[in-house]
Amino acid sequence: MELVTIADVRAAQDRVAGVAVRTPLIPAPWAPGPGELFVKPEMLQPIGAFKIRGAYNKIAGLTADERARGLVASSSGNHAQAVAYAARMFDAKATIVIPDTAPDHKVAATRALGAEVLLVPPAERDILPRQLVEERGYILVPPFDDGAIIAGQGTIGAEIADDLPDVDLVLVPVSGGGLISGIAAAVKALRPEARVVGVEPQLAADASESFRTGRRIAWHPEQTHRTIADGLRTVSVGVLPWEHIRAHVDDIVTVTEDEIRAAMRALVVQGRLVVEPSGAAATAAYLSIRDQLPESARTVAIASGGNADPAMLAEILSAG
Amino acid sequence: MELVTIADVRAAQDRVAGVAVRTPLIPAPWAPGPGELFVKPEMLQPIGAFKIRGAYNKIAGLTADERARGLVASSSGNHAQAVAYAARMFDAKATIVIPDTAPDHKVAATRALGAEVLLVPPAERDILPRQLVEERGYILVPPFDDGAIIAGQGTIGAEIADDLPDVDLVLVPVSGGGLISGIAAAVKALRPEARVVGVEPQLAADASESFRTGRRIAWHPEQTHRTIADGLRTVSVGVLPWEHIRAHVDDIVTVTEDEIRAAMRALVVQGRLVVEPSGAAATAAYLSIRDQLPESARTVAIASGGNADPAMLAEILSAG
C-alpha cells in the first residue's frame, strides 16, 4: 500500500490554492505555559471545516470525463458539504447519501450547495453509494480512505511546517484518520523532529485502542455515538489511514466530554473562534492532559470544524 | 498636515510582520448576493483586535532611549491591551490610564500584560496622561490621532489590496478614525478604483454627520454611550484622521443596534467568528443597508475586534 508523500501534498497545495483559505496560525497566549500554543483555524474554510481540502483535491485530480459521470459521497456531516461545494466549482453533478437520522439543517445545507440528497436508513449509507457507482458510473469521493483525500488534508501539515519551521508538536483530532494521515505525512517530511499526536474522545477511542494494541480495531456505533463530538464518531480508522498512522504518528490520546466542553468555551471566549465539539478536541488535550503529551515549546492544535449548534454554543457560554 | 503615505504603510508592514497575525480574507458565501463578501478577521489578533498593529508600529518606531523613558496611554478598551502587549515585547514600561467606570475584566486583562494601571474619574482620563508626559518624560501612545498609529492600522488595507487586487468596496467601522484613515490611505494608493466606506452606529453617528456637513463635529458622550458598540463611542474623529477621511473616504453610513446584533449572530453562527458589537458594524452595513452602499462585486468588511462579553454572546445566540 503506497503512502502519501510530500510531493503529493505539494501538488495538492497547488490545486487547493484560492479554494481553501490559507489559514494562519493564531497565537493562543491565553493557554498556560510553558511553551506556546497556536491554533490552526480550519473552521474558517468556506463550508466550516478542513474537509474542503481533501474533497477539492480529489475532484480536481479526476479527468473531465470522470467528473462528467457524476460524483457520489456518503456523509452525515462536513464531508457532504465539502463534496457538494467542490463539485459545484467544477459544474459536476454531486449525489450525497445521508442517513435519514441526520438533522434537517445539515440536509438543507447540502441541498443549498446544489447537490442531490438521497436519504437512506443508516444501515444503507455505505451500500447505496457503491450501487450508484456500479449502476450509474458515478465516481465515489470517500471521506478518508483515499490517497487524494489524505494528500488534500495534508496541505494543513505543509502550511504548519512552512509557517512555524521549528514546531515541536501537532495535535490532530482523529475520526476516520484522513486528517492526521495527511498532516503526519507532511510534517514528518518537512520537520522530522516534530511529534504528531492524535486526539480522540474517551467515548470513541477506537483509534487510541488500535494504536496501543497494534491492530486496527472497530468500536460499535452505539459506543462511539455517546460523545458530543459528532465529527469523531467513526467506528474505526480507514485502511489507508491506518498505514499512515503506524508509519508516522507518535501517539493517540483521549479527552473527556467535560474537557472538550471546556476547550470549546476557551476557544470561543478567549480565542474568538467558533468550534464544534470535534474542533475543540485537540485544544482540549493541550489544556487538560498536557502531562500525557510530549514536551513541546511550540505546539499547534487543529481546530478542525465550526458547524456547532447555536443552542449548544449558547449553553456552553452561559455555563462559565 | 501630512497624510500617511503607502510608503509609511509598507514600512509598518515590515515592522508588524510576525507580531500581528497576517489575517486572511474569509469568504462569506452565506451573505446574500449579488457579489461576494469577504471578512477580514482582525479579532484573531493576539489581544483580540486590530489595535495591536498601530500600537506596535508606533512603539517600534521610537528610539531605544524613548522607549526606556516609559510609555503612557489612555484607554478603556482594546487600545489599552494593545499598548501593554506591544510594550512588553520591547521590555518597555507601560502605564495605562483607565476610567474607573471600566469593567473589572478589562482592567485585569491590561494588568495581566504587565502594564501599570492608573484608575481615574472619566473626566481626567485625558489629563493625567499629559501630566505624566510632562512630569515624568513618558512617551504618549495615542489611540488614533497619530501618523504612526494610522500607518500601522493601514497595514490592513495593504493586505486587502495584495490579497484581493480587484476589490471594489471596503467597509470599515469608525470611532476615532485611525482605522479607516490607514485603510483608506493604503487602499486608494494600491487600488484607486475601490471605494472605502465608514460605518457607525446610528446612536454614535458623529463621523457620519461630520462627513455630511463637511465639518468635524463632536457628539456628547451621553449620546454616543447609548450604543452597544462600546468600541465606537468616541465622540469625534481625531484631527489627523479627519484629514484622511476628507481626502480618501467615499462615504460614512450608519446602522441600527438591531442590525449590529443580527450581524453579530451571522458572523458567529455562519462565519464562525466571534466579534464584539463594534466588530460586527461593517458586516451589518453589508447585510442590512446594501442599497445605501456603492455597487460592488467584491466587498471586504473589517471585523475589527472580538472582546465580547460571553453573556451577551449567549443571549444573541439564544435569540435566533
Side-chain angles (χ1 to χ4, degrees), chain B residues 234-258:
Chain B
T234 303
V235 297
S236 76
V237 297
V239 174
L240 189 54
W242 176 238
E243 296 305 320
H244 287 78
I245 289 170
R246 297 214 301 180
H248 296 310
V249 170
D250 296 286
D251 199 3
I252 299 179
V253 298
T254 64
V255 289
T256 66
E257 302 293 294
D258 281 349

Side-chain angles (χ1 to χ4, degrees), chain B residues 143-165:
Chain B
F144 47 79
D145 214 339
D146 181 282
I149 298 286
I150 291 174
Q153 324 302 29
T155 58
I156 296 172
E159 291 176 8
I160 291 170
D162 291 345
D163 288 353
L164 193 69

Side-chain angles (χ1 to χ4, degrees), chain B residues 108-175:
Chain B
T110 306
R111 284 204 174 112
L113 291 166
E116 182 185 7
V117 171
L118 300 178
L119 294 171
V120 298
E124 291 170 33
R125 61 174 289 172
D126 292 328
I127 300 166
L128 180 58
R130 279 185 227 131
Q131 277 184 343
L132 293 171
V133 168
E134 282 176 29
E135 293 169 12
R136 300 199 200 165
Y138 288 174
I139 303 282
L140 185 69
V141 184
F144 47 79
D145 214 339
D146 181 282
I149 298 286
I150 291 174
Q153 324 302 29
T155 58
I156 296 172
E159 291 176 8
I160 291 170
D162 291 345
D163 288 353
L164 193 69
D166 54 0
V167 60
D168 297 312
L169 174 61
V170 182
L171 300 172
V172 190
V174 178
S175 188

Side-chain angles (χ1 to χ4, degrees), chain B residues 90-111:
Chain B
F90 288 102
D91 283 322
K93 175 181 161 68
T95 303
I96 313 291
V97 177
I98 301 186
D100 54 19
T101 51
D104 288 346
H105 72 268
K106 295 211 170 180
V107 175
T110 306
R111 284 204 174 112

Side-chain angles (χ1 to χ4, degrees), chain A residues 21-27 29 41 43-48 85 265 267-269 271-274 306-307 310-311 313-314 317-318, chain B residues 21-27 29 41 43-48 85 265 268-269 271-274 306-307 310-311 313-314 317-318:
Chain A
V21 174
R22 176 70 170 77
T23 53
L25 294 175
I26 308 297
M43 75 291 158
L44 297 183
Q45 299 297 345
I47 54 114
Y85 185 92
R265 184 177 159 85
L267 284 164
V268 171
V269 173
R272 297 119 193 152
L273 296 167
V274 176
N307 292 320
L313 270 182
L317 286 168
S318 304
Chain B
V21 175
R22 176 70 170 76
T23 54
L25 295 175
I26 307 297
M43 76 291 158
L44 297 183
Q45 298 298 344
I47 55 114
Y85 186 92
R265 185 178 157 84
V268 172
V269 174
R272 296 119 193 154
L273 296 167
V274 176
N307 292 320
L313 270 181
L317 285 168
S318 304

Side-chain angles (χ1 to χ4, degrees), chain A residues 204-253:
Chain A
D206 55 279
S208 173
E209 189 184 334
S210 299
F211 191 83
R212 277 176 216 301
T213 61
R215 294 160 42 231
R216 190 171 70 98
I217 289 166
W219 280 28
H220 195 279
E222 277 174 26
Q223 295 177 291
T224 64
H225 277 62
R226 294 170 301 167
T227 178
I228 55 165
D230 54 326
L232 306 180
R233 290 173 182 161
T234 303
V235 296
S236 78
V237 297
V239 174
L240 189 55
W242 175 239
E243 297 304 320
H244 287 79
I245 289 170
R246 296 214 300 181
H248 296 308
V249 169
D250 296 286
D251 198 3
I252 300 180
V253 299

Side-chain angles (χ1 to χ4, degrees), chain B residues 22-87:
Chain B
R22 176 70 170 76
T23 54
L25 295 175
I26 307 297
W30 43 268
E36 291 176 280
L37 175 67
F38 300 83
V39 177
K40 181 86 167 160
E42 285 296 304
M43 76 291 158
L44 297 183
Q45 298 298 344
I47 55 114
F50 72 94
K51 293 275 186 184
I52 188 65
R53 295 177 184 259
Y56 188 87
N57 187 53
K58 173 74 177 176
I59 294 170
L62 299 174
T63 65
D65 281 352
E66 287 172 322
R67 282 193 294 264
R69 285 158 57 187
L71 308 167
V72 60
S74 168
S75 168
S76 59
N78 294 328
H79 181 60
Q81 291 180 59
V83 173
Y85 186 92

